[in-house]
Amino acid sequence: MVVDALSRYQSRREQLARGGSPNGGSLELIGDILRRGERLGREGVEQALRSLSRADIDTWLRAQKPETLQPALLRAAEEAAEVALGEGGEEAEVWRTSSLEGLTARDRAESAARAIGEWESLHGPLDGETARTLRSFREGLGRLDEALRSKARWFIPLNPQRRAERDLLDAAERARAWWFTARADCDDFIAALSQRPARPSPHLQGCADCRADLASTESVESPPKRHLSADDLWRFDMGLMSAVELKWVDGHTEKCLDCAQAIWALEEGDEAIEQARDEQPAPAARSSRTLENPARRPGAARHPEQREVLEERREFRVVLVRERQRARLLVQPLSGRAVTAAVFLAPGKPSLKPQQGPEGLQFDLGTGGGRSAHLMVRVGNNEIFERDFSF
């Protein structure tokens, strides 16, 4: 950060003391100083509060929509993830700055609520419609916090900046300001996610939240596969399963009649179509033990795939693949440079999770037909390509 947090708030306090803030921003500025009074003092606060009328408070409250903070915080979470996944440098700083803006928006709302409470202690409680609007505003913030407080781990990549903000808050304010304080010391969690150290750090040993999160990610990374899902069956039928996956299916269908019948249904359907196409007798019924039969290979499924090259550059190729009313996107590296990609089906939603395959990065887009998505490809550390596409 170009300006450290303390200097920024000191500048805001001086602005307040000079009476340089318009009414529309006075509540947030006043609240910022009030919530950090132990470090900043309260110079200019009472004078600024006395200068605000009930009409000023009412006008500000009517313009507020706490529900709009939720997408701002969700977007901030996505941007914080980019900080964690990136390789540092200017791009990471852009993501970090943008993500912090989302957290700051929630903090400004808290500051305004605190300033209004202080205003009421000087002028008397609000009444009538203004009091109801204030109550609705505070309830909206409460619902937002209830929904997102438990997700504070999303913002761990911003912890150095969050700690700087936390340490400026008065002690009595920190518990409420979860966006700056919750999980602010859990830096080891990010490293543990990728490295899985054999011996946890002292923080991980003592932090129940980190241990619980790591335990939950273990179940995601190695889910207990009990039955074949619809996606498993589709990948089996398309010939997309790896040798390890085929071996698991082979062993599972020996024990599970339901899944074995699902596999048989797929294979019998293939045989019936081959019989009609080639006018040859259908081969003998196969069991799930023939999963590794070389006759089944990628591209051997009964519905041929359709491929469309969306973009081809020196470093990579982007291919849209349509198969049986489903679509997937391939990002194929063509040079020795590192290529990463992200696909977003809707604004404000996380990127689809890519799978590394023999043809490059693969994104399962689901069922096609009149849908669109946004693709972002990064080559090395700096070059970024973006485009929208339909499928």
Side-chain angles (χ1 to χ4, degrees):
M1 299 177 115
V2 177
V3 179
D4 67 90
L6 178 59
S7 298
R8 187 173 66 252
Y9 287 113
Q10 287 174 334
S11 176
R12 290 172 65 79
R13 182 198 60 192
E14 293 168 3
Q15 178 187 11
L16 184 66
R18 293 192 305 268
S21 177
N23 288 346
S26 288
L27 286 172
E28 296 169 359
L29 197 160
I30 293 168
D32 280 349
I33 307 307
L34 282 170
R35 296 169 61 232
R36 298 163 178 86
E38 294 172 4
R39 294 291 299 272
L40 301 176
R42 295 172 59 113
E43 181 182 0
V45 168
E46 183 173 343
Q47 180 181 355
L49 286 170
R50 292 191 180 280
S51 69
L52 293 175
S53 67
R54 290 178 183 270
D56 293 331
I57 304 295
D58 182 71
T59 299
W60 187 89
L61 283 170
R62 289 179 181 276
Q64 303 311 303
K65 295 181 179 179
E67 63 272 12
T68 63
L69 289 172
Q70 182 161 351
L73 285 169
L74 293 176
R75 184 169 59 253
E78 293 178 21
E79 292 165 345
E82 294 291 345
V83 175
L85 296 173
E87 301 177 2
E90 294 182 1
E91 183 181 356
E93 187 60 31
V94 170
W95 287 119
R96 182 180 292 108
T97 300
S98 182
S99 182
L100 283 168
E101 288 175 358
L103 301 188
T104 302
R106 174 62 187 90
D107 194 68
R108 286 197 300 267
E110 188 68 20
S111 291
R114 170 67 191 277
I116 293 174
E118 197 76 9
W119 183 93
E120 289 185 300
S121 69
L122 293 173
H123 296 267
L126 295 169
D127 54 15
E129 185 63 29
T130 305
R132 287 189 288 272
T133 306
L134 174 60
R135 183 167 59 252
S136 177
F137 174 69
R138 286 174 170 160
E139 289 173 351
L141 294 181
R143 289 192 297 270
L144 176 70
D145 292 345
E146 184 178 0
L148 296 181
R149 183 189 296 270
S150 63
K151 312 298 183 184
R153 65 180 179 277
W154 294 343
F155 303 110
I156 290 176
L158 309 178
N159 271 359
Q161 294 75 29
R162 295 174 72 225
R163 282 193 292 268
E165 293 283 355
R166 175 198 65 187
D167 294 345
L168 289 175
L169 287 167
D170 292 353
E173 294 288 336
R174 295 180 184 180
R176 286 186 55 82
W178 63 267
W179 47 94
F180 286 151
T181 62
R183 310 296 295 275
D185 293 311
C186 295
D187 301 49
D188 292 352
F189 174 71
I190 299 296
L193 275 178
S194 57
Q195 299 174 7
R196 295 290 179 182
R199 185 173 182 178
S201 69
H203 172 81
L204 293 177
Q205 292 179 24
C207 180
D209 289 331
C210 283
R211 292 199 306 273
D213 286 340
L214 287 172
S216 67
T217 57
E218 287 176 356
S219 65
V220 171
E221 292 172 358
S222 303
K225 301 188 74 173
R226 299 178 180 176
H227 294 285
L228 289 166
S229 67
D231 185 65
D232 291 330
L233 292 170
W234 175 76
R235 294 180 64 250
F236 172 81
D237 198 32
M238 290 295 105
L240 298 175
M241 281 191 164
S242 66
V244 173
E245 290 174 309
L246 288 171
K247 185 176 180 180
W248 178 86
V249 172
D250 192 15
H252 178 73
T253 51
E254 282 188 322
K255 307 171 186 176
C256 178
L257 178 60
D258 289 339
C259 289
Q261 288 176 335
I263 293 292
W264 293 335
L266 289 176
E267 296 184 333
E268 288 170 359
D270 283 342
E271 292 167 357
I273 289 177
E274 290 171 2
Q275 178 183 12
R277 180 182 298 165
D278 302 331
E279 294 184 354
Q280 296 178 356
R286 293 172 288 174
S287 73
S288 65
R289 293 298 299 172
T290 63
L291 291 178
E292 295 182 2
N293 190 320
R296 177 169 289 279
R297 62 191 184 280
R302 56 180 173 271
H303 289 272
E305 65 183 27
Q306 298 178 349
R307 294 192 171 216
E308 176 186 355
V309 178
L310 300 182
E311 188 76 24
E312 184 158 2
R313 302 198 171 194
R314 183 180 59 174
E315 298 88 356
F316 63 89
R317 180 189 299 118
V318 180
V319 182
L320 179 63
V321 183
R322 296 182 176 89
E323 304 168 289
R324 302 182 70 190
Q325 301 178 355
R326 293 181 67 91
R328 56 191 173 96
L329 193 74
L330 297 176
V331 179
Q332 302 171 326
L334 300 179
S335 68
R337 301 183 66 185
V339 174
T340 57
V343 174
F344 303 90
L345 294 182
K349 297 293 185 182
S351 168
L352 296 177
K353 184 177 181 180
Q355 292 183 334
Q356 185 67 52
E359 295 186 271
L361 292 175
Q362 175 177 288
F363 296 87
D364 184 2
L365 303 175
T367 57
R371 301 176 65 192
S372 62
H374 182 76
L375 168 68
M376 178 185 297
V377 180
R378 182 171 66 186
V379 180
N381 294 329
N382 298 317
E383 300 178 32
I384 297 179
F385 163 80
E386 295 188 62
R387 67 163 290 173
D388 296 323
F389 64 94
S390 300
F391 61 95

